[in-house]
Each structure stands twice: as C-alpha cells, then as structure tokens.
Amino acid sequence: MINEVMLTVLIIWIGIALFLFKLDRRVARLEEEINEL
Amino acid sequence: MKLHKLIYILMPVIIFMAFVWAPPAEFLGEASRILYFHVPVAWVSVISFIVAGISSILTLIRKDGSKDYVSYNSALIGLIFTILTVVTGSIWAHISWGSYWNWDPRETSIVILLLIYIAYFTLHSALSENSNQKRIGSIYLILAMVIMPLFIFIIPRVYPSLHPDPVINADKKIHLELTMKITLFSSIFVFSLLYIYILNIMNRISLIKIKIEEKLYDK
C-alpha cells in the first residue's frame, strides 16, 4: 500500500516537474525574443 | 545551474526518504508520513506571505510600484500552498481523528487566514482601474503579514487543540527520531527551493508582460 502511495506522489511530482521545466524554457525563449525586439 | 533547479533531483529524493527511509511514527503509523509534506507546505505558505509583506513594504518605500508583482506573485503562491496545507491537514485529520473537518482552533485559524488572502485578490482585481491599486494592495498585504502570526502561532496555542505538538513547541524540543528529523528538515529545505523556483518563473512572466506593455505603449 505504501509503495502505491509513493508511486502516486512520484507521478504527481513528475507531472509538476515537467510543467515547470517546459514553462521555464518557454519563459527563457520569450525573454530572448523580447530583448531582441 | 541555479540552486533552485536542484529540486528536479532533490524532490524525488525527499519522496523516497519520506516513504522508505524514515520510519512510521509510533502511534500514528504509516499515515504519519504525511508530516513530511504537510509541515513543509505550511512552512512555504508562511514564508510566501512574509515575502509578500516585506516586498509590499519595499513597494511603499520606493513609491514607483515597479516591483509590485513580487508581492502579488508571492501572495498567490502563499494562497495555493495554504490550500494545500488545508487539504493535507484534512486528510491527516480524517485518518487520525475520523473526520476531515473538526473545527479545531488550528483548522479554523488557517481558514480565516485563507479568507484574508482571498480578500486580497478580490481587492486587487476590484481596483484594477484605480491608480492607487498598488498602494492599497501593499498596505493590505502588510496588515495581513502582521495579523498572520496571531492565526498561525498564537490562537492554536491559546485554545485546547487536537493538533499534535508543533515543531516549535512549549518544551522547545523536537519530539522526533533522528531519521524523521532529517527527513522533515530536508523536505522543508526542498519545498523552500520549490517556492523560490516558482516565484522566479512567475516574476519573469510578470516582467515580460510589463516589457510587452511598454513596447506597445512606445509604438
């Protein structure tokens, strides 16, 4: 049971981490574009 | 690589420590592992409200309001983490006390705090056309920061509560085994890094918005 809970928490974290990583990259790209304007 | 980006590696380590490395608490059993998420999430909510308050003081001192977005973003993160504190606390309450909600002094005080910060966002959006929006919002956040210790630290200690001893308790001792203590404090550190990382991204987005508005205004 505890392993299933850990797995669920890990999956939730992977989802959050992927979202943050993609968001961070997009923001970095936007910052570059804005500075070039 | 910036320090706050370490969360990608450290958070899975914390999850492993919380579920495998640390032993379950003597009377609470496996359910006690929620401690390693509930306390850090509550910690981040307090920190973010303090940052929002301090940033608001700086906004009022500077008078230009150019960095007002830091207070707003920090308060928003604080609000989300307070909701997470209530959710994790309710799950734990259901397991330990048999009910999700018991109107315990600590539960009640965190809900009042939640309402205070929801009111800030209502005020902020209601004043969107007002030139004093930043100033009024800043004053409100400073007042909220001053009131916050009353709800977090004083009221739950004055009235009898079902809530277990907080980390900072009357004995001034942490009643946890060494492995549990290490896991808890590591988790608090990693969640603090997560807060810094999210705040950093949100501030950068706000800055991009401001720059776009400036460029459009210039044209």
Side-chain angles (χ1 to χ4, degrees):
Chain A
M1 180 65 181
I2 200 73
N3 287 337
E4 286 161 22
V5 179
M6 187 174 76
L7 201 68
T8 312
V9 174
L10 263 175
I11 290 167
I12 293 170
W13 168 246
I14 290 167
I16 296 169
L18 276 174
F19 171 73
L20 285 176
F21 184 74
K22 281 179 81 175
L23 190 64
D24 194 0
R25 279 183 58 181
R26 271 186 206 169
V27 171
R29 213 178 303 150
L30 266 173
E31 281 172 335
E32 276 175 29
E33 281 175 25
I34 292 266
N35 289 335
E36 281 169 13
L37 279 175
Chain B
M1 191 174 171
K2 285 176 186 168
L3 183 70
H4 53 249
K5 288 190 179 177
L6 280 174
I7 53 149
Y8 291 117
I9 303 156
L10 293 178
M11 194 60 91
V13 174
I14 290 299
I15 293 169
F16 178 81
M17 282 169 83
F19 285 100
V20 180
W21 191 61
E26 206 171 330
F27 298 109
L28 295 167
E30 298 288 359
S32 64
R33 295 182 194 279
I34 206 165
L35 167 89
Y36 308 118
F37 302 96
H38 176 65
V39 175
V41 158
W43 162 262
V44 169
S45 63
V46 171
I47 289 294
S48 48
F49 289 142
I50 291 172
V51 170
I54 292 170
S55 166
S56 297
I57 294 171
L58 294 176
T59 303
L60 288 181
I61 292 170
R62 280 198 211 104
K63 288 182 184 171
D64 63 344
S66 60
K67 298 245 171 166
D68 168 68
Y69 59 84
V70 179
S71 337
Y72 181 89
N73 292 339
S74 190
L76 189 58
I77 299 170
L79 183 72
I80 293 163
F81 275 82
T82 309
I83 294 168
L84 286 174
T85 308
V86 173
V87 171
T88 52
S90 296
I91 295 168
W92 202 358
H94 178 65
I95 296 164
S96 301
W97 307 333
S99 166
Y100 285 107
W101 202 258
N102 305 279
W103 292 110
D104 183 78
R106 198 167 279 273
E107 288 177 333
T108 313
S109 60
I110 200 90
V111 165
I112 295 170
L113 192 70
L114 199 62
L115 292 174
I116 289 172
Y117 282 99
I118 289 171
Y120 164 71
F121 292 101
T122 315
L123 179 76
H124 196 271
S125 61
L127 295 173
S128 58
E129 302 291 317
N130 193 314
S131 59
N132 288 323
Q133 184 205 35
K134 287 174 183 173
R135 203 167 354 140
I136 296 169
S138 298
I139 292 167
Y140 186 95
L141 277 180
I142 295 165
L143 287 175
M145 180 182 70
V146 173
I147 293 167
M148 184 189 63
L150 181 78
F151 290 106
I152 300 279
F153 302 109
I154 299 170
I155 291 177
R157 283 173 172 80
V158 171
Y159 294 100
S161 170
L162 290 165
H163 196 277
D165 253 4
V167 174
I168 304 162
N169 53 41
D171 298 349
K172 293 188 176 88
K173 280 180 189 163
I174 301 166
H175 303 295
L176 286 173
E177 272 186 36
L178 185 67
T179 47
M180 294 169 86
K181 225 185 279 181
I182 294 169
T183 309
L184 178 64
F185 285 106
S186 309
S187 184
I188 289 173
F189 172 71
V190 173
F191 270 86
S192 304
L193 284 184
L194 179 65
Y195 161 70
I196 295 168
Y197 189 38
I198 297 172
L199 184 65
N200 175 269
I201 292 177
M202 287 176 77
N203 287 345
R204 282 160 61 203
I205 293 170
S206 301
L207 208 58
I208 289 170
K209 271 188 197 169
I210 291 169
K211 279 185 181 174
I212 290 172
E213 277 168 16
E214 277 172 4
K215 296 222 186 238
L216 285 173
Y217 188 72
D218 286 346
K219 282 179 183 177

